[in-house]
Amino acid sequence: MEENLTQKQSTIVRVALFGPESTGKTTLAKQLAEHFETAWVPEYARDYLQGKLDKNAQICNADDMLPIALGQIKLENDNLSIANKYLFCDTNVMVTKVFSEVNYGFCDPLLNEVAQKHEYDLFLLTDIDVPWEEDVLRNSVENRESVFSVFKQTLIENKKPFISISGDTNFRINKAIALIDDFSKAKKMGFSSSDFVQIYEHGIPLKNIKNQLNFFKNGIPKTVLIEPAKVSNGILKLSENDYQEKATYFDSVKSTLKLKKFVPASGAASRMFKFLNTFLNEFDVENESIHAYINRKKDSKLSIFIVGLEKFPFYDEVLFELEKTFPDFNNFNSDYKNYYFIETLLSSKHFDFANKPKAILPFHKYSNRISTPIEEHLNECVHYATSKGNSHLHFTVSESHQKEFEIIINAIKSKIENENKTTIEISFSNQDKSTDTIAVDMENKPFRDEMGKLVFRPGGHGALIKNLNNLEADIIFIKNIDNVIQNHNETIALYKKALAGILIELQKQVFKYLNEIENSSEKHLNETIIFVKNNLNIEIPKDVENYTLENKISFLKNILDRPIRVCGMVKNEGDTGGGPFWVKDTNGNVSLQIVETSQIDLTNINQANILANATHFNPVDLVCGIRNFKNEKFDLTKYVDYNSGFIVQKNKDGRDLKGYELPGLWNGAMAKWISVFVEVPLMTFNPVKTVNDLLNSYHQPQ
């Protein structure tokens, strides 16, 4: 008996259709076998029970379960010899096991053991979202949902690799074919069945995983710098009158536009408090003074923090908590006071600031309130992202923190709306899990956790191009969550509106030329070429004049019919990070790009010198036009340089790993946009990278 219950071994890929009665298993198995030109295994139970019915015997009872299992296994083993690469099984012994448990309340121990031992490369769990088909051999239509739940739970408990299949017949077969194709590719890449299901459930396209593994293996080409972008060579410099003129123009046309402000806000505040966490981990308050610690560690940041302690917007609240916790706190010496202040600030039992998003932390102290970055962005938004009394603000947030955003917004939104006679519409989005990236070990093999599971990491802010692509707007202002200042909203608004005015003027001219090109007009082709070169800083081939009319029109349409961004740039005063450069791509084309230091080959003396001679810094101050000359939305994912991401080294559970971050939102994710850089005052760039930045004048009461 046991020998006949043994599953024959083979290199054939076995796919098991799994689910309750009347869920389309047979149809799908036949279709898959036909598509892949291979064999399929029908349901033995149907012939077996039909035979009993023909003899007027009881259709089915518990004693039939083992004979059905034996017949099913024989059919499967027999069909292996005629299978071509795949074998699609309409049913299997695990189905018989579940049927027995559902209908008779128990399963023969031998059948249970066999069902668990039998292996299939992949299970396709067929959903009950298809009509029930009456059949004398089938049970009642009642309890389909509960029976389906039992089938699904059985796969989970037995740790079988499965993917659910729903939808109509056409949708199911198309999905199943795509799954099988991807599954074969995944196996060739060295992934197991469980790995494949994990990748599928995460929503990451397999081709993305393959590309990421190639990046780890082969590296990512460094950006080739030609020279820094400077004023009059890639960066436009305006006078104060120019700023005012552009802002006034924007105000005159904004009523015809839908405006939106986009704020990446999912980042945690861990880096803000990194030096304080290090202090708590390494300082012994019983055996060392803080002064001695600062000298030993040469920790000037801690010294600045303590000297400025009373100027922080959270000082009073933390002090109040300390006096509640320690009734004699005011009698502590200064070292104990400072130590417990920092501990209370970061303790998960109290404020836990390092584990909260920056957006909800106290940033600014006013005479009558403490404000967060969320409140400052709402105040900014109504000053420049408002049209016809409506302002639109979009935050990208982590799903776990959205409720905290909503609480703050609900407390302040009405007041800001009333003060500014503006309605603020606020929306949220989360970073899509499908943009996560696979991690590898130091030998470039997939990194696995203690359970043997693949490890995926967030793809960085470059993943937000997908969120940006989903927005409905004509003009989008982009600004980071921590780049806000206290007061000065009118001044900040002036520069933001000026950038928008420049964008709209350029867009108007670009659209005019594109409409002429669309109509095959030759009238302004030479004028268009001059505009492209002088106003958009786009390199024109030297032999463009020799192009045929058709090729010239095609060339101009290709370079003009793109999203446009106008980016504020501030003078570099020693900040580390991205900046504007002229770069050359792998095809030899030169363009303006925002380049991060990590993208540059600093071992190359020439490249290092170009970086050192940079005059400007990227403050992430963008205004974007995402519609084309026909008023259609661009698909922003088509304008990404997918070869310009970043490889980073991290640590998980004490083990080193390498991660891949997608092309940055304002770097490679917008590499194929039309980019115009404009110098803006340094006051527009005041990010809070460490908590001590809150002591800067623009973050203090004026």
Side-chain angles (χ1 to χ4, degrees):
M1 171 76 77
E2 288 191 34
E3 183 178 339
N4 292 332
L5 289 169
T6 302
Q7 190 180 38
K8 189 182 290 184
Q9 298 303 302
S10 172
T11 57
I12 295 294
V13 174
R14 299 187 219 218
V15 179
L17 284 298
F18 190 81
E21 298 171 315
S22 192
T23 55
K25 298 194 299 291
T26 302
T27 300
L28 188 56
K30 286 181 179 179
Q31 289 176 318
L32 286 169
E34 182 180 348
H35 177 83
F36 288 101
E37 299 180 345
T38 188
W40 71 286
V41 183
E43 182 183 11
Y44 175 76
R46 176 158 293 279
D47 289 340
Y48 176 88
L49 295 176
Q50 185 64 52
K52 292 190 68 176
L53 184 63
D54 292 343
K55 296 175 183 178
N56 295 317
Q58 182 181 344
I59 291 182
C60 191
N61 57 51
D63 293 336
D64 293 317
M65 296 298 100
L66 268 177
I68 288 173
L70 281 164
Q72 192 65 50
I73 293 168
K74 185 176 186 306
L75 270 178
E76 183 177 318
N77 288 339
D78 289 347
N79 276 281
L80 274 174
S81 61
I82 59 172
N84 171 32
K85 191 174 180 181
Y86 303 104
L87 181 64
F88 297 101
C89 304
D90 176 5
T91 190
N92 54 79
V93 182
M94 186 70 77
V95 172
T96 310
K97 160 187 155 64
V98 176
F99 184 91
S100 181
E101 290 170 341
V102 168
N103 289 279
Y104 308 117
F106 79 99
C107 178
D108 184 288
L110 181 57
L111 174 57
N112 183 64
E113 181 184 351
V114 169
Q116 293 185 41
K117 283 183 177 178
H118 278 210
E119 295 293 336
Y120 295 88
D121 295 275
L122 188 64
F123 285 80
L124 299 181
L125 176 62
T126 50
D127 205 347
I128 57 174
D129 60 339
V130 291
W132 173 268
E133 294 182 5
E134 291 292 340
D135 190 317
V136 69
L137 297 178
R138 286 184 172 138
N139 283 344
S140 169
V141 68
E142 295 177 3
N143 302 320
R144 288 186 88 192
E145 291 84 0
S146 59
V147 173
F148 177 78
S149 296
V150 173
F151 272 83
K152 183 174 182 179
Q153 190 59 34
T154 298
L155 291 175
I156 294 170
E157 290 175 355
N158 287 277
K159 298 180 180 177
K160 300 296 184 182
F162 76 94
I163 292 172
S164 297
I165 296 286
S166 306
D168 62 27
T169 302
N170 286 337
F171 184 84
R172 287 182 178 213
I173 184 60
N174 289 331
K175 178 178 178 179
I177 289 170
L179 281 171
I180 302 303
D181 284 338
D182 273 354
F183 179 73
S184 295
K185 294 173 185 174
K187 296 289 276 188
K188 288 179 181 178
M189 292 166 63
F191 290 115
S192 68
S193 297
S194 296
D195 293 338
F196 176 71
V197 171
Q198 187 185 353
I199 292 168
Y200 173 81
E201 290 178 343
H202 215 88
I204 306 174
L206 191 66
K207 64 178 182 179
N208 291 7
I209 299 284
K210 184 176 182 180
N211 289 338
Q212 291 158 20
L213 292 174
N214 284 335
F215 285 140
F216 288 123
K217 180 181 178 181
N218 302 319
I220 297 174
K222 293 293 186 180
T223 299
V224 178
L225 306 181
I226 300 300
E227 60 181 329
K230 297 183 178 182
V231 171
S232 300
N233 184 26
I235 299 178
L236 179 65
K237 184 178 178 65
L238 303 181
S239 67
E240 284 303 312
N241 285 338
D242 291 332
Y243 284 124
Q244 190 63 60
E245 180 185 316
K246 302 298 183 186
T248 300
Y249 172 70
F250 168 73
D251 282 332
S252 71
V253 299
K254 68 181 182 181
S255 63
T256 63
L257 303 168
K258 182 174 181 181
L259 312 174
K260 184 162 287 191
K261 184 178 181 183
F262 180 83
V263 182
S266 58
S270 51
R271 291 183 185 176
M272 269 183 70
F273 301 97
K274 185 177 180 181
F275 72 93
L276 294 180
N277 265 318
T278 301
F279 166 72
L280 290 178
N281 290 331
E282 298 184 4
F283 176 68
D284 182 357
V285 70
E286 300 290 341
N287 297 302
E288 186 178 25
S289 70
I290 290 180
H291 180 72
Y293 172 87
I294 290 172
N295 287 336
R296 175 168 63 86
K297 300 288 290 185
K298 296 181 174 56
D299 194 345
S300 59
K301 291 180 182 177
L302 180 60
S303 178
I304 292 169
F305 178 83
I306 290 172
V307 170
L309 202 61
E310 295 183 15
K311 294 182 179 180
F312 286 108
F314 46 75
Y315 175 77
D316 291 339
E317 192 176 3
V318 176
L319 182 62
F320 179 76
E321 184 69 20
L322 284 166
E323 290 173 345
K324 276 200 317 181
T325 306
F326 305 103
D328 59 342
F329 178 76
N330 289 322
N331 295 325
F332 288 6
N333 67 38
S334 60
D335 275 0
Y336 275 85
K337 283 182 177 179
N338 291 329
Y339 174 80
Y340 283 115
F341 186 98
I342 296 170
E343 184 186 58
T344 301
L345 186 71
L346 301 185
S347 169
S348 59
K349 297 178 181 178
H350 297 288
F351 292 89
D352 199 23
F353 274 4
N355 291 314
K356 293 183 176 180
K358 281 185 183 181
I360 69 171
L361 298 184
F363 261 38
H364 299 145
K365 184 176 182 179
Y366 292 89
S367 60
N368 59 348
R369 72 189 193 284
I370 303 295
S371 75
T372 63
I374 293 174
E375 179 177 345
E376 299 294 7
H377 276 287
L378 263 70
N379 273 310
E380 269 196 25
C381 189
V382 297
H383 281 80
Y384 56 76
T386 297
S387 175
K388 294 187 287 190
N390 295 305
S391 190
H392 300 269
L393 176 58
H394 184 89
F395 291 106
T396 64
V397 301
S398 63
E399 196 171 351
S400 60
H401 291 133
Q402 184 169 325
K403 190 67 179 175
E404 294 172 278
F405 277 69
E406 291 170 350
I407 290 170
I408 292 174
I409 289 167
N410 289 338
I412 61 175
K413 180 168 169 281
S414 295
K415 181 176 181 292
I416 296 172
E417 287 176 325
N418 292 334
E419 288 175 350
N420 294 277
K421 297 181 175 56
T422 300
T423 299
I424 308 174
E425 181 181 308
I426 296 176
S427 56
F428 300 95
S429 65
N430 311 128
Q431 190 165 314
D432 195 323
K433 281 176 58 180
S434 69
T435 63
D436 288 356
T437 62
I438 194 168
V440 298
D441 61 22
M442 303 314 288
E443 295 180 354
N444 297 324
K445 295 177 181 177
F447 187 94
R448 297 180 184 275
D449 63 17
E450 63 279 1
M451 302 297 291
K453 294 276 192 180
L454 299 171
V455 172
F456 300 108
R457 303 180 65 257
H461 57 71
L464 299 181
I465 194 69
K466 194 168 183 178
N467 303 61
L468 191 67
N469 199 37
N470 290 333
L471 297 185
E472 290 293 337
D474 298 308
I475 303 295
I476 298 176
F477 298 87
I478 300 180
K479 196 175 184 185
N480 274 337
I481 187 65
D482 63 347
N483 186 18
V484 287
I485 62 177
Q486 189 161 348
N487 302 304
H488 302 290
N489 282 325
E490 294 288 351
T491 306
I492 293 296
L494 169 68
Y495 298 115
K496 295 294 280 188
K497 290 195 286 187
L499 295 180
I502 293 169
L503 171 67
I504 295 166
E505 285 183 334
L506 288 173
Q507 206 175 49
K508 183 178 178 181
Q509 195 66 34
V510 167
F511 289 177
K512 175 195 167 198
Y513 291 137
L514 282 169
N515 276 306
E516 290 178 353
I517 289 171
E518 184 80 354
N519 296 320
S520 299
S521 171
E522 303 178 46
K523 187 175 180 182
H524 294 114
L525 283 186
N526 289 333
E527 179 186 315
T528 305
I529 291 170
I530 294 170
F531 170 81
V532 165
K533 183 177 180 181
N534 294 342
N535 295 71
L536 303 182
N537 292 300
I538 295 174
E539 187 180 65
I540 300 294
K542 293 179 180 178
D543 61 344
V544 71
E545 294 299 330
N546 299 326
Y547 286 13
T548 64
L549 176 61
E550 182 180 355
N551 287 343
K552 192 179 290 187
I553 286 175
S554 175
F555 167 75
L556 288 172
K557 183 172 183 181
N558 179 56
I559 62 174
L560 287 175
D561 196 14
R562 298 167 182 257
I564 305 175
R565 60 174 178 167
V566 175
C567 312
M569 294 291 163
V570 297
K571 288 182 178 177
N572 194 334
E573 296 194 348
D575 294 291
T576 57
F581 292 89
W582 291 96
V583 307
K584 181 184 290 186
D585 67 17
T586 53
N587 295 318
N589 299 315
V590 175
S591 63
L592 278 176
Q593 300 290 341
I594 298 172
V595 183
E596 300 297 323
T597 304
S598 59
Q599 293 177 273
I600 302 168
D601 181 5
L602 298 179
T603 64
N604 182 308
I605 296 175
N606 177 56
Q607 294 291 287
N609 286 337
I610 293 173
L611 174 64
N613 288 322
T615 58
H616 287 73
F617 182 82
N618 168 39
V620 188
D621 192 2
L622 294 80
V623 186
C624 305
I626 62 168
R627 291 188 177 276
N628 66 18
F629 69 106
K630 296 179 180 179
N631 200 33
E632 302 163 332
K633 274 182 63 178
F634 284 107
D635 178 358
L636 303 183
T637 62
K638 293 181 177 179
Y639 300 91
V640 177
D641 177 2
Y642 288 100
N643 293 317
S644 62
F646 310 87
I647 293 175
V648 294
Q649 188 167 330
K650 299 289 182 179
N651 186 282
K652 179 176 172 60
D653 301 327
R655 294 185 293 150
D656 290 334
L657 62 78
K658 290 193 286 187
Y660 170 73
E661 293 192 359
L662 299 170
L665 181 59
W666 35 85
N667 310 113
M670 295 182 177
K672 298 177 183 179
W673 291 39
I674 294 172
S675 298
V676 174
F677 298 156
V678 181
E679 185 178 273
V680 292
L682 195 58
M683 72 168 295
T684 63
F685 181 59
N686 281 279
V688 178
K689 300 304 179 186
T690 81
V691 64
N692 287 349
D693 288 331
L694 291 174
L695 299 174
N696 293 344
S697 60
Y698 280 113
H699 294 291
Q700 289 290 309
Q702 302 299 306

